[in-house]
Structures are given as structure tokens and as C-alpha cells.
Amino acid sequence: MIERRKTRAVYVGNVKIGDDAPIVVQSMTDTKTHDIESTLNQINRLYEAGCEIIRVAVPREEDALALPEIVKNSPIPVIADIHFSPRIAFLSLESGIHGIRLNPGNINDEGKIREILQECKRKNIAVRIGVNSGSLEQRLLDKYGYPSAQALVESALNWSEFFEKVGFTNFKVSIKGSDVLENVEANRIFASKTDIPLHIGITEAGPSGKGTVKSAVGIGILLYMGIGDTVRVSLTAPPEEEIKVAYDILASLGLRRRGIEIISCPTCGRIEVDLPKVVKEVEEKLKDVKLPIKVAIMGCVVNAIGEAKEADIGLACGYKSAILFKEGNPIKRVSEEEMIDELLKEIKQMEGGVG
Ligand code: SF4
């Protein structure tokens, strides 16, 4: 059982982050924000996949001007991602958005940042201080020589103190480096010094395969240490994939579950069925099921039920047939042709039972 770090609560719209709230899963659209239709379509798809907060890039005025329509029609709170421009920040704050993400290091004008925070306070808009290895203040780069964990922490602590000194506390922090160890170290140090909620993730993790591994390792270590109140997995892939990976990471640590979790064996010489094909088909057919259950698809009858004892339901395949089992007990033998349909039928019944 993971004991989570005690943090104070921050609200992005109606979504609570920190304190006793479940770890919130968020993502970012990759559409042009001023293309309102595409952006809202993607937000809706992400919402369906389980995304709880969405961030949109606001690089230009036309993007800020699209925000009111996006916020009005989004099923989840919207965060505007602002870099460099206080003007775009002020414009975005007029749109009804629920949060902004600022990298104060690249605005670098304390007077303007103070004004932005005053406006956020007045409108109850949450802020994320986003410290990234790629955009650290020059002063810290000169001091540390490169964006080390200490340099990232110093930047995050300085800006947190600045926010608190001007009376603004509705904020969370993210400290992201693309190097997993640096990232873990920076978040660990920061977490030991404050109760400010942390948004965690490995930035620029890469394409699906490597990026998923890197994210799972980095985010997984932090979560295991109890660190992290909201998660964003960054992949060079459609953002829906980020949501799936985020839930898979959280589920594998027993922190949150959503939808089906498939457990399948690695196969061995006992196998008498095309297991990868069966798993792929089951995964595809169950992708819209929201019931958080574990489904085991095992390659043989000999060890399968024992190996998959923590599954809620499953198939132990054999020669031209399979045993369907539920909560560790065999319930019936089914033929190879009907085994997937029988499994789906049982799961639909379980879904119906839950309502
Ligand atoms: S479940 Fe059966 S086929 Fe799969 S790895 Fe175990 S023993 Fe081998």
C-alpha cells in the first residue's frame, strides 16, 4: 500500500488536486487551439478515454480568442498553456478558463507575473508553475552549469516563494526534465520541502514504445514514493494514448483503475492457441468497457487459473477449447470459436450488475 505525501488542495474548476483526492489524469491537445471544432472534438475523445483536465496551447492571440467557446463546450476543466507573453496570459484570463500553466522563468518580469496572479486570484483561476529543464533561467544555468536537479528545485522553490509572498496559494508545481533520474531526484527534493501539490511527468519522453517505458519508470518511481497529485504522460503519439498509459501506470501500482486491465501470460511451449491474436481481439472489443475489472487470457489450462488468481474473470485456453473462469473458479468449458463471445457475454452481465 502506497502512502501518499500530504499535500494541500488546489482546485482546477471542479477538479480537486492534492490532499485526499485521487491522482488526477490530464493531457494536452495537439490541435491548433484556434481550430475550435478540431480542438473540441479531441477534448471530447480524451474525456471519453478518461481525461479529467485538459490543457491547450495558447501561443497566439487567435488561440486566446478561441478559448471562451472551447471552455463553454468542454466537458472537463480547461488549462491555458502560456509561454513568454503576459499579453496572451491576460487575454486568456478573460475567457473563463479554469487554470493557466506558466513558466515564470520565460516571462521573467516579476511585475507582470504579480499582476497575472492578482487577476487569477480575483477570478479563482488555478496556476501551475511549470519548471522545465529546457527553459531554466539563465542565472541558474550560470550557477549550476546545466539544468541539474538542484537547479530545477531552486527555480521551483524561488517561484513558489514569490507566489506565496504576493498572497497567491492556489497553485501546483511541475518540475520536468527529460532525464528520468534528474526528474525523479528534483521532484523528490522538492516534495521533501513543501506541501505544494505536484504535477508529475517525464517531458519529451519520446515515441510510444520508449516513451511509455520511460514514463512508466519515472512516474512509477515517484508514485511509489507517494509523490504526485496529477499525472501527464507525454508521448509523441495521439493524446488518447497518453491517457491509457497514465491509467495503466496508476493501475499497476494499485492507485487508480479505469476500464479493463488485461493480464495475459508470456506463452511458452505448452501453448496451443494463437494467444496474441486472442488478446488483441479481446482488448479491441473491451476498449469501451468502463468497469474496472481484471481479465486474464492465459495460454493453457495447466497453470492458468493459479497464475491468474487475482483476475476477476478469464480464459484458460487449451487445444481447440478454453475454460472460462471467474473469481478463481472454473465456470464452464467453451469451444475455441465461441470463447471470446462467451467471455464478453459474462463481462456485459457483470457490467449490467454494476449498473
Ligand atoms: S499460462 Fe500456460 S502457456 Fe501461458 S506461460 Fe503459463 S504455462 Fe505457459
Side-chain angles (χ1 to χ4, degrees):
M1 181 78 178
I2 292 173
E3 196 179 325
R4 285 179 58 198
R5 163 184 170 246
K6 301 247 173 302
T7 53
R8 62 198 194 204
V10 166
Y11 285 86
V12 179
N14 58 2
V15 175
K16 183 180 178 185
I17 295 174
D19 190 23
D20 59 353
I23 296 167
V24 171
V25 172
Q26 56 173 292
S27 185
M28 188 169 183
T29 52
D30 61 7
T31 53
K32 296 285 178 206
T33 303
H34 60 260
D35 180 349
I36 295 173
E37 198 187 331
S38 306
T39 303
L40 278 171
N41 283 342
Q42 191 172 62
I43 292 176
N44 280 316
R45 286 200 302 276
L46 285 162
Y47 165 68
E48 282 301 320
C51 183
E52 294 163 307
I53 293 178
I54 189 68
R55 182 158 49 111
V56 299
V58 190
R60 283 178 296 271
E61 191 173 321
E62 56 185 334
D63 302 306
L65 294 175
L67 289 175
E69 195 62 21
I70 292 171
V71 171
K72 196 171 94 199
N73 293 293
S74 168
I76 45 178
V78 180
I79 294 178
D81 191 72
I82 316 275
H83 288 273
F84 307 110
S85 170
R87 196 176 59 81
I88 300 283
F90 287 118
L91 207 53
S92 302
L93 296 180
E94 295 305 311
S95 67
I97 44 157
H98 307 96
I100 57 169
R101 183 267 175 143
L102 280 185
N103 183 341
N106 70 25
I107 290 191
N108 224 2
D109 177 338
E110 290 190 359
K112 287 285 180 226
I113 294 171
R114 190 176 291 123
E115 282 175 44
I116 292 170
L117 294 181
Q118 277 160 359
E119 198 56 17
C120 288
K121 195 169 181 180
R122 217 169 58 76
K123 294 197 155 97
N124 202 19
I125 294 172
V127 177
R128 163 155 71 99
I129 300 176
V131 173
N132 271 38
S133 54
S135 52
L136 205 62
E137 297 96 308
Q138 191 57 46
R139 181 180 65 76
L140 292 171
L141 287 175
D142 292 343
K143 178 172 170 187
Y144 289 94
Y146 75 108
S148 63
Q150 283 78 7
L152 294 167
V153 172
E154 188 170 326
S155 175
L157 284 175
N158 284 347
W159 286 114
S160 301
E161 274 167 29
F162 176 84
F163 275 39
E164 282 168 357
K165 225 184 283 165
V166 301
F168 190 84
T169 52
N170 192 24
F171 71 94
K172 54 196 158 74
V173 163
S174 66
I175 309 176
K176 294 188 185 179
S178 51
D179 178 274
V180 171
L181 292 179
E182 209 103 74
N183 188 313
V184 167
E185 184 61 1
N187 279 282
R188 188 189 66 75
I189 299 171
F190 185 85
S192 70
K193 293 179 186 290
T194 77
D195 68 349
I196 298 165
L198 272 166
H199 162 130
I200 59 169
I202 305 293
T203 193
E204 295 130 24
S208 308
K210 280 208 167 79
T212 298
V213 173
K214 233 169 142 178
S215 298
V217 172
I219 294 171
I221 294 172
L222 286 169
L223 291 173
Y224 182 72
M225 294 194 289
I227 298 168
D229 302 282
T230 175
V231 172
R232 192 243 168 146
V233 170
S234 310
L235 299 175
T236 314
E240 289 92 323
E241 218 171 295
E242 299 183 348
I243 300 299
K244 191 179 170 306
V245 172
Y247 278 103
D248 286 345
I249 295 171
L250 291 168
S252 63
L253 290 167
L255 286 163
R256 278 194 86 173
R257 282 172 68 187
R258 181 188 157 89
I260 300 290
E261 186 182 338
I262 292 189
I263 299 164
S264 55
C265 79
T267 78
C268 72
R270 286 196 185 89
I271 196 107
E272 287 183 297
V273 68
D274 184 352
L275 202 72
K277 186 167 159 260
V278 176
V279 169
K280 204 166 164 215
E281 191 175 335
V282 170
E283 197 173 26
E284 180 54 34
K285 289 192 166 153
L286 293 179
K287 71 177 187 316
D288 296 325
V289 173
K290 297 208 167 59
L291 191 67
I293 55 168
K294 289 189 183 178
V295 180
I297 317 280
M298 309 300 278
C300 78
V301 185
V302 187
N303 295 328
I305 300 176
E307 283 179 12
K309 53 185 174 302
E310 81 274 34
D312 298 295
I313 189 163
L315 286 171
C317 302
Y319 181 65
K320 295 204 178 303
S321 69
I323 304 276
L324 184 62
F325 63 92
K326 211 172 169 180
E327 287 150 12
N329 298 309
I331 54 168
K332 63 171 138 173
R333 181 176 284 278
V334 287
S335 71
E336 190 173 350
E337 296 73 43
E338 61 185 12
M339 66 184 182
I340 293 179
D341 287 344
E342 287 290 328
L343 177 73
L344 301 184
K345 220 191 293 169
E346 283 291 331
I347 291 171
K348 290 284 166 212
Q349 261 175 29
M350 290 164 88
E351 262 195 307
V354 168

